Amino acid sequence: MPLPSTRMLPDNWQEAHRPVIAATFRSMVQITRLADRRGTRDPIAGRTSFAVPWVLYDGGARVQSRGGGATARGPGGAAVGVNDRIITVGSYLVAIPTDAAEIKVDDLIQVFACPDSPVLSGLMLKVVEVLYADAAWQRSLGCDLQEPSARG
């Protein structure tokens, strides 16, 4: 316990931890956002076209299963009651550097390579929760499996 006139954690203490955490980002991911989720319908061709997604982040990350997975809970994560709120908890946790662009719910994460767990390579995940912290050394994203769509 610190003295009453001192702080328990010094300002910016997380800066010293970020290089250690960054060394654990061994998976390669790309995070994208669709410009328009509805697309543009061409009634003559009978097709809907979608704009090229924006790349928000392309680099190292840590990807891990939270246990249970979408197969046990159904797609879209698990709805959990916390006090008077219902929150969605994703089946996967993806950690990226704190200086990456802002990631929002419904952004897509493609896992390209995961050397420590090759079964995760090729996954397409959808962000269902963004975990915020005031003293963070990584940005944590709760994700679930993205259901296949005609968007390809």
Side-chain angles (χ1 to χ4, degrees):
M1 192 73 175
L3 298 173
S5 62
T6 62
R7 294 177 52 112
M8 182 174 286
L9 298 173
D11 290 335
N12 297 325
W13 71 272
Q14 68 273 18
E15 297 294 330
H17 293 67
R18 287 186 183 148
V20 175
I21 295 299
T24 68
F25 295 159
R26 296 177 37 82
S27 298
M28 296 304 296
V29 302
Q30 185 178 70
I31 304 175
T32 57
R33 179 176 302 146
L34 293 175
D36 181 6
R37 296 186 197 294
R38 295 172 301 176
T40 304
R41 182 75 178 158
D42 181 352
I44 296 171
R47 294 185 185 166
T48 302
S49 60
F50 297 92
V52 176
W54 297 328
V55 176
L56 302 170
Y57 177 72
D58 194 354
R62 189 173 63 256
V63 181
Q64 65 189 60
S65 172
R66 285 181 159 174
T71 55
R73 295 188 254 185
V80 178
V82 178
N83 292 332
D84 61 342
R85 301 176 76 190
I86 301 293
I87 61 170
T88 301
V89 178
S91 300
Y92 293 87
L93 181 68
V94 177
I96 59 173
T98 55
D99 59 357
E102 180 184 10
I103 308 300
K104 297 180 179 180
V105 170
D106 290 335
D107 288 343
L108 301 176
I109 302 176
Q110 170 109 31
V111 182
F112 289 110
C114 191
D116 298 325
S117 185
V119 71
L120 296 176
S121 295
L123 283 182
M124 178 63 83
L125 303 171
K126 180 178 178 180
V127 177
V128 295
E129 63 176 329
V130 180
L131 305 170
Y132 294 101
D134 61 349
W137 50 87
Q138 68 183 18
R139 176 118 26 99
S140 299
L141 309 169
C143 303
D144 231 334
L145 293 174
Q146 169 67 13
E147 295 183 32
S149 71
R151 296 179 191 179

